[in-house]
Amino acid sequence: MALSLFAGRAFAQEKPTLGLEVESACPNQSLIEAALAPLLRDYRLVTGPASRVAHIRDWGESYSVSVDGASREVTDPDRRCWERARVVAVFLLLSLSESTAGVGDVVTQTEPAPTKLVSAPRMPPAEAPLPTKIRHSLALRSFVRVEVAPASRLVATSVGLGASVRRGPLALSFLGGLATPTHPGQEDGAASRLKLWRFPFSLLLGWEAGTGSVGFGVEAGPTVDILHFEGERVPRATTGTRLNLGLGLNAMLRLRASQRWQADLGPTFSYFPRTYLARIEPGPVLAETPLWWAGLSL
């Protein structure tokens, strides 16, 4: 009888097992196990069959965790893998603590339950990591753009670089580029004696929406074109440089290839309320700078 009583109590004190079914790259199983290790007291983490199994899924800009019918999906477009693992660990701890407390109530009806069955720490929601915490990130950008100015019959290709500081769905971007030179035509159809260089710079405030690998974004803000004029086939030609202030608007379809790479494709518009007239003295006006440009950017 003593041996039977001792064996029964030893069996009651044996820790239940917890298994992980992870279909996620962020967080992966190693990060989840590392976050769970200091928290689990009443469960033993195993790789084989277990009395309880937690399911973790990675959906790109969000992830989900479920155990014993309790589930939660958290949005995290920045894909902070370690923070995700901490949230998963805390959710499992709270859910398993509630389940363990229920099991403890049943055991106490037949025999005194070991204290350890209800000793798991119950962390209040205020102390849990905030899954929606917004952080800043920096994205480097490069682009190639083809633009037309129909009123002036001009076509230009530009390339450029820039950077975006992102906070959640919002981004502040600075872009600068160099456009191929254009030759504004004369009204009589004669060959142009003017070469126009454009150096476009923009400061844009953007917003992005979407889930997974596909998103949509818009950005708008002030743009400045540095205009450089040169005379061609003109004796002793001089040059001139002007600043042209306007507004820019871009829309884009965003395709995310990985956590580090994405492609943006969409139309671009820029409008300049002020134009410049160019002429070669003492002759008539040769050209007027465009009021607006429309293009396609990648």
Side-chain angles (χ1 to χ4, degrees):
M1 291 177 61
L3 289 176
S4 299
L5 181 60
F6 176 78
R9 291 188 175 181
F11 178 78
Q13 293 177 356
E14 184 180 353
K15 292 183 179 181
T17 55
L18 173 65
L20 298 177
E21 183 178 319
V22 181
E23 295 183 11
S24 170
C26 180
N28 57 29
Q29 184 153 345
S30 299
L31 285 179
I32 297 173
E33 291 177 355
L36 274 173
L39 299 180
L40 282 182
R41 297 183 181 179
D42 298 323
Y43 284 83
R44 183 164 50 91
L45 200 60
V46 296
T47 56
S51 57
R52 286 180 171 80
V53 178
H55 303 270
I56 297 92
R57 301 288 186 273
D58 180 8
W59 306 107
E61 293 192 356
S62 65
Y63 61 99
S64 62
V65 53
S66 61
V67 63
D68 286 350
S71 63
R72 184 176 187 182
E73 184 171 346
V74 182
T75 301
D76 177 30
D78 293 333
R79 295 180 64 83
R80 298 159 295 157
C81 300
W82 175 240
E83 187 70 17
R84 288 186 176 195
R86 293 178 57 196
V87 174
V88 168
V90 172
F91 176 80
L92 294 179
L93 176 67
L94 295 176
S95 301
L96 294 174
S97 297
E98 294 175 0
S99 294
T100 305
V103 172
D105 294 340
V106 175
V107 174
T108 55
Q109 295 177 8
T110 57
E111 63 177 325
T115 304
K116 287 186 177 180
L117 286 177
V118 293
S119 62
R122 299 291 299 275
M123 297 181 65
E127 298 180 3
L130 297 177
T132 57
K133 184 178 178 180
I134 300 176
R135 292 183 177 178
H136 294 81
S137 62
L138 176 65
L140 303 180
R141 299 174 60 175
S142 61
F143 65 88
V144 58
R145 181 178 301 163
V146 178
E147 295 176 293
V148 296
S152 303
R153 302 185 300 276
L154 299 179
V155 179
T157 301
S158 59
V159 294
L161 298 172
S164 297
V165 178
R166 295 178 177 173
R167 187 175 188 268
L170 299 178
L172 183 64
S173 303
F174 178 76
L175 303 176
L178 167 64
T180 55
T182 56
H183 296 80
Q186 299 185 164
E187 294 183 359
D188 57 4
S192 174
R193 292 189 294 163
L194 182 71
K195 179 186 290 187
L196 173 63
W197 293 83
R198 291 174 56 238
F199 302 86
F201 293 88
S202 301
L203 181 64
L204 306 173
L205 180 62
W207 173 82
E208 179 181 354
T211 58
S213 59
V214 180
F216 174 81
V218 292
E219 54 186 5
T223 182
V224 176
D225 272 8
I226 300 177
L227 305 177
H228 183 72
F229 303 89
E230 294 181 4
E232 290 192 326
R233 297 186 300 277
V234 178
R236 298 181 301 277
T238 60
T239 61
T241 301
R242 298 291 186 269
L243 296 180
N244 204 9
L245 179 63
L247 296 175
L249 173 64
N250 302 333
M252 62 208 74
L253 175 67
R254 294 191 162 172
L255 304 177
R256 186 188 297 271
S258 67
Q259 184 177 354
R260 294 181 177 272
W261 294 94
Q262 75 176 27
D264 300 349
L265 176 66
T268 64
F269 300 92
S270 54
Y271 171 75
F272 300 93
R274 180 181 181 182
T275 62
Y276 289 93
L277 301 178
R279 68 189 181 98
I280 297 177
E281 296 178 342
V285 172
L286 296 178
E288 182 179 3
T289 58
L291 278 173
W292 59 278
W293 293 83
L296 183 67
S297 179
L298 173 63

